[in-house]
Amino acid sequence: MKILIKSATIIAPSSKYHNKTLDILIENGTIKAIEKNISLTENTQEVTYQNLHLSLGWIDSSVSFGEPGYEDRETLYNGMQTAAKSGYTSIGLNATSHPAPDTGSSISYLKNKTHLFGVELFPIGNLTKNGAGKDLAELYDMQQHGAISFYDYKQPIQNPNLLKLALQYTQGFNGLIQSFPQENAIARTACVNENISSTNAGLSGIPNLAEELQIARDLYILKYTGGKLHIPTISTASSVNLIKQAKLEGLDVSCSVAIANLYYTDKEIIGFDSAYKILPPLRTEEDRLALLAGIKDGTIDMVTTDHFPTTIEEKKVEFEQANYGSIGLECAFGILNKLVGTEKAIDLLTKGRTRFGITEPKLEVGEKAEISLFSPTENYTFTPENILSSSKNTIFKDEKLTGKAIGIFANNSLTLN
């Protein structure tokens, strides 16, 4: 297979090709040439697009589908196609299926079923058996079969001794533990941020304290045990400060933030639209600005779409009864490009591999091609016609965006939107 990408502006700050408009020839999955002008030859597929740009492949550390068990939310086939057409070459797949991926064989099933796609799927195994929060799952066995970390998705580790044991045990094989930042005894059954907006809406609120107390506890345990801890989807200003201080103290901790929490505030809940019901909840403008500052100064290690499909029956109900979550793969680049500009957006979209033990791609002749294609200047409104996911539950509906993913070349496979 020969692919010729014509007149693409390269966004890769660590590369000698950064900000240059060049042609790239790919043959059998390997970059054969990067030059000013490469002639099209027979049996070569040409890729052209107005104001075409490319970068190293994008990665999302927190994606959920449904299969097996919840195929009505999303299948592996359509989910992988959606990720590819959204510009992603790698995804960390959360443990949100049934049965839960908590054994080596269940991790192998996910890897084997998706290995022919352009996108590479990296399973995240359940931390506990069946995700029930009681007993540790087969962590070492899962890692041996391809799991990149261990996380009961959106379920806080309520027992501090369980986290202590997990951090101690995984040091023997350099495993990464994820701990969702919420103390349920404080959050209770509330579903939005505790603030004037929740009072005006008559909805019970989750205070910032619920997140920050859990993070402080987890960091104390990490300081005691050692090991590697990742805190997914933080949402408050004080959470940023807690993690910044922990890093200064030398703790091996990383964190992510969901794009929705960078973009919206809790003022959106006034209309009782369940599309804005996410977890952690949308916070205040002060929190949002602190999160943006955190990604700019490097305290926050990566951004994620926190892509979570749900069915219309789970979402189109009373706000308090609706499922949490939003899809976000399809418009992630457009949102980040609008928020922080193209170069920073690409930096954020390509960060995170090292933390999860994933090999970084290289944009050099002779290297395996793992490339994301995009246009940073295309203006459009994100409408249902732009949604590729089986589920349509998006928080970003009707947003005016600048920048659109075109597709990817990875795993010797070209996928275009």
Side-chain angles (χ1 to χ4, degrees):
M1 181 188 219
K2 289 185 180 181
I3 302 291
L4 179 59
I5 302 172
K6 290 291 291 182
S7 300
T9 301
I10 297 170
I11 305 298
S14 62
S15 167
K16 64 183 178 181
Y17 303 112
H18 180 52
N19 274 335
K20 295 180 180 179
T21 301
L22 300 167
D23 295 351
I24 297 182
L25 178 64
I26 301 168
E27 186 173 347
N28 296 325
T30 299
I31 299 173
K32 289 297 182 182
I34 304 176
E35 298 173 7
K36 187 66 178 176
N37 184 41
I38 301 174
S39 299
L40 182 66
T41 58
E42 193 176 356
N43 299 322
T44 300
Q45 181 177 350
E46 186 178 44
V47 178
T48 60
Y49 201 88
Q50 185 174 1
N51 199 21
L52 178 62
H53 284 56
L54 65 80
S55 70
L56 292 172
W58 303 347
I59 181 171
D60 191 336
S61 62
S62 179
V63 173
S64 301
F65 295 146
E67 185 182 355
Y70 299 107
E71 287 84 354
D72 53 341
R73 294 177 180 172
E74 187 61 280
T75 63
L76 287 169
Y77 176 85
N78 191 68
M80 297 289 279
Q81 288 291 101
T82 297
K85 292 179 179 180
S86 301
Y88 288 89
T89 62
S90 304
I91 58 168
L93 185 69
N94 291 309
T96 55
S97 59
H98 182 76
D102 57 5
T103 63
S105 60
S106 59
I107 297 299
S108 291
Y109 166 81
L110 293 169
K111 294 288 288 184
N112 292 336
K113 187 149 188 184
T114 59
H115 76 281
L116 294 178
F117 287 90
V119 180
E120 187 165 5
L121 184 147
F122 294 95
I124 297 168
N126 269 120
L127 177 66
T128 62
K129 293 179 181 179
N130 297 313
K134 293 182 179 180
D135 301 306
L136 289 179
E138 298 175 12
L139 308 186
Y140 178 72
D141 187 40
M142 284 191 285
Q143 178 144 318
Q144 292 299 107
H145 286 82
I148 57 169
S149 68
F150 310 105
Y151 176 32
D152 293 348
Y153 182 69
K154 301 291 185 185
Q155 298 300 316
I157 303 172
Q158 297 189 55
N159 181 352
N161 192 55
L162 190 69
L163 177 60
K164 178 179 77 72
L165 292 173
L167 286 167
Q168 289 173 327
Y169 173 61
T170 50
Q171 288 177 56
F173 52 93
N174 200 33
L176 178 64
I177 300 298
Q178 296 196 49
S179 177
F180 183 66
Q182 180 168 289
E183 171 50 75
N184 279 346
I186 292 176
R188 300 163 288 109
T189 57
C191 59
V192 295
N193 182 47
E194 183 182 83
N195 190 32
I196 188 66
S197 297
S198 61
T199 302
N200 289 339
L203 296 169
S204 55
I206 302 173
N208 288 15
L209 176 65
E211 176 170 308
E212 295 151 9
L213 187 62
Q214 189 82 350
I215 289 176
R217 184 207 73 170
D218 290 355
L219 292 173
Y220 271 114
I221 295 172
L222 179 64
K223 189 173 184 178
Y224 174 80
T225 61
K228 293 168 59 177
L229 179 66
H230 180 71
I231 302 174
T233 58
I234 67 171
S235 68
T236 79
S238 290
S239 295
V240 177
N241 291 332
L242 284 167
I243 292 166
K244 180 183 291 186
Q245 184 58 40
K247 288 184 172 184
L248 290 173
E249 293 175 9
L251 299 186
D252 194 352
V253 61
S254 57
C255 66
S256 67
V257 61
I259 294 174
N261 291 94
L262 293 173
Y263 196 74
Y264 294 111
T265 70
D266 59 355
K267 290 181 180 179
E268 304 293 340
I269 68 167
I270 296 302
F272 297 98
D273 185 343
S274 62
Y276 296 98
K277 185 179 178 182
I278 62 172
L279 193 68
L282 300 172
R283 302 287 188 182
T284 65
E285 179 68 1
E286 178 186 357
D287 291 313
R288 190 186 75 84
L289 293 175
L291 293 169
L292 281 170
I295 65 172
K296 289 175 181 177
D297 69 16
T299 300
I300 298 175
D301 300 88
M302 61 200 81
V303 298
T304 172
T305 63
D306 205 24
H307 182 89
F308 186 82
T310 65
T311 65
I312 191 169
E313 293 84 4
E314 295 168 320
K315 204 67 170 173
K316 293 294 183 180
V317 293
E318 291 182 4
F319 192 97
E320 290 174 299
Q321 305 303 317
N323 265 18
Y324 290 105
S326 169
I327 59 173
L329 286 169
E330 295 96 317
C331 59
F333 173 66
I335 294 289
L336 285 174
N337 191 45
K338 186 176 175 181
L339 273 174
V340 298
T342 301
E343 194 163 313
K344 184 62 179 178
I346 297 305
D347 174 54
L348 295 171
L349 288 165
T350 54
K351 287 175 71 173
R353 285 181 172 84
T354 302
R355 185 58 173 169
F356 291 95
I358 300 169
T359 302
E360 296 272 3
K362 295 179 181 179
L363 193 63
E364 297 176 6
V365 174
E367 294 288 339
K368 178 182 174 183
E370 188 171 339
I371 291 169
S372 296
L373 303 164
F374 58 96
S375 170
T377 55
E378 187 165 340
N379 296 305
Y380 66 106
T381 300
F382 190 70
T383 63
E385 288 71 33
N386 301 113
I387 295 175
L388 305 169
S389 302
S390 298
S391 296
K392 311 302 177 186
N393 59 304
T394 179
I395 196 171
F396 301 107
K397 61 184 177 182
D398 298 326
E399 283 297 328
K400 291 180 171 57
L401 303 180
T402 300
K404 195 171 189 178
I406 296 168
I408 64 168
F409 185 91
N411 195 23
N412 199 22
S413 175
L414 176 68
T415 307
L416 298 176
N417 197 341

